[in-house]
Amino acid sequence: MSLVGHQPPPIFKRGPAAPARLFGFVAICLVLLVADLRFRYLEVLRNGLSVVTYPLQMAASAPADVARNASRYFGTLIDVQRENAELRRIQLDAGERLLRFDLLERENAELRGLLEMSQRVQTRSIAADILYNAPDPFARKVILDRGAQQGVEAGLIVVDARGVIGQVTRVHPVQSEVTLLTDRNQSVPVSVVRSGVRGVLYGIGRSMLEMRHVLADVDVQPGDLLVTSGLDGVFVPGLPVARITRVDRDAGAFARIDSEPLAAIERSVQVLVVGRASYPPPPPDAAGGR
């Protein structure tokens, strides 16, 4: 049987060559891209496809979302439980301190009543928020959102929940400037709770403090708590300031006493401006004008 002149079946017919088909498809794609970029005629089609495929996308991402949300939920739950436990512990400690404070205050009032003595210090306080750091790169100062209109005065002490953070050094009508304890120009008269030794605490930067004007042979040791002495007539006495970390008695006639502040000086946001309700009378020579 001769195959001359026989046509191959349609299934075996060959179309254009592969490079020609590739070139044609690339040209069509380029035309479509340019036309869509120019006329946006595929925008409706894309929006329709996104609406149609949205349930499929949600179904595909659901397992991952469930796992992620579950891990986040249980992680948050553990953190909340720990925080609640810590808050309960702090509340119990605060309650215990408050009970002891109330008891001591009642006993103090009774003793003063028996001795017919007036209360030593009456205090007043103003709640404030720290707005921002003062625009001075060479000083450690912050700005409060309370000023002269709210009763803030220069010299008042500023505390947070743990202790003293600084002193008001400049007052504006609705704002005030606070110099932090760690500033090199800041000083606070303090006393050691355990032994009653008095001195002056100076800021030395680097979140550290130094107690000066203390003889080398005094009863001071690491771990002692420092509180405001109130002998300057401005600071309220008895406020916690710092804890001694190192005592060097070989520095000379005076000991070198380093301490760290108790308050979160660099992290506090809500503070309390504390001052005396009335100041003590001046010394006799100052009162007499001599």
Side-chain angles (χ1 to χ4, degrees), residues 3-288:
L3 297 177
V4 178
H6 182 73
Q7 298 294 330
I11 192 173
F12 295 108
K13 286 184 177 180
R14 298 182 60 188
R21 288 200 298 269
L22 177 61
F23 178 77
F25 291 145
V26 170
I28 294 173
C29 291
L30 291 176
V31 171
L32 291 176
L33 288 175
V34 173
D36 181 52
L37 184 62
R38 179 67 178 81
F39 301 105
R40 299 285 182 179
Y41 70 94
L42 292 179
E43 192 71 27
V44 178
L45 179 61
R46 279 196 295 270
N47 293 336
L49 290 176
S50 64
V51 172
V52 173
T53 58
Y54 179 75
L56 299 178
Q57 295 175 1
M58 295 298 296
S61 61
D65 291 340
V66 170
R68 183 168 54 253
N69 292 333
S71 62
R72 186 181 304 167
Y73 169 77
F74 287 111
T76 305
L77 181 62
I78 294 174
D79 293 340
V80 169
Q81 290 176 345
R82 291 176 180 173
E83 185 177 353
N84 287 339
E86 181 67 16
L87 290 176
R88 284 195 295 269
R89 185 188 65 80
I90 294 175
Q91 183 179 12
L92 291 176
D93 292 343
E96 181 183 359
R97 293 195 195 98
L98 182 61
L99 290 176
R100 289 187 303 203
F101 177 78
D102 290 340
L103 178 61
L104 293 175
E105 195 173 44
R106 287 196 298 268
E107 292 178 353
N108 187 37
E110 292 176 359
L111 291 175
R112 289 183 178 276
L114 291 175
L115 297 175
E116 297 182 353
M117 296 173 60
S118 61
Q119 293 292 331
R120 180 185 176 191
V121 178
Q122 296 290 339
T123 62
R124 57 190 177 94
S125 60
I126 303 169
D129 290 337
I130 295 179
L131 297 177
Y132 47 82
N133 294 330
D136 186 351
F138 302 102
R140 307 182 71 84
K141 299 180 180 182
V142 294
I143 304 300
L144 303 183
D145 65 344
R146 295 291 187 270
Q149 294 183 0
Q150 289 78 30
V152 178
E153 300 176 2
L156 297 184
I157 196 167
V158 181
V159 302
D160 65 1
R162 300 179 181 179
V164 178
I165 71 168
Q167 184 181 18
V168 177
T169 52
R170 183 178 299 175
V171 180
H172 304 285
V174 294
Q175 293 181 346
S176 55
E177 182 183 85
V178 177
T179 301
L180 301 179
L181 283 180
T182 51
D183 188 273
R184 295 183 181 274
N185 296 321
Q186 180 63 25
S187 61
V188 180
V190 296
S191 62
V192 180
V193 173
R194 181 181 59 83
S195 60
V197 174
R198 294 192 296 268
V200 181
L201 201 63
Y202 291 84
I204 57 175
R206 304 186 307 278
S207 299
M208 293 298 294
L209 306 169
E210 181 181 357
M211 185 178 178
R212 301 174 185 172
H213 313 305
V214 178
L215 295 176
D217 59 349
V218 298
D219 185 11
V220 176
Q221 61 187 18
D224 282 345
L225 178 64
L226 301 177
V227 299
T228 53
S229 63
L231 295 182
D232 60 346
V234 178
F235 282 84
V236 175
L239 296 176
V241 181
R243 191 173 297 277
I244 296 176
T245 57
R246 186 174 71 91
V247 179
D248 183 9
R249 304 183 188 276
D250 299 328
F254 294 96
R256 177 180 175 84
I257 304 173
D258 295 334
S259 60
E260 59 182 3
L262 296 175
I265 294 179
E266 304 295 338
R267 302 187 303 273
S268 295
V269 178
Q270 286 83 26
V271 297
L272 204 63
V273 182
V274 182
R276 296 171 180 258
S278 60
Y279 294 99
D285 56 342

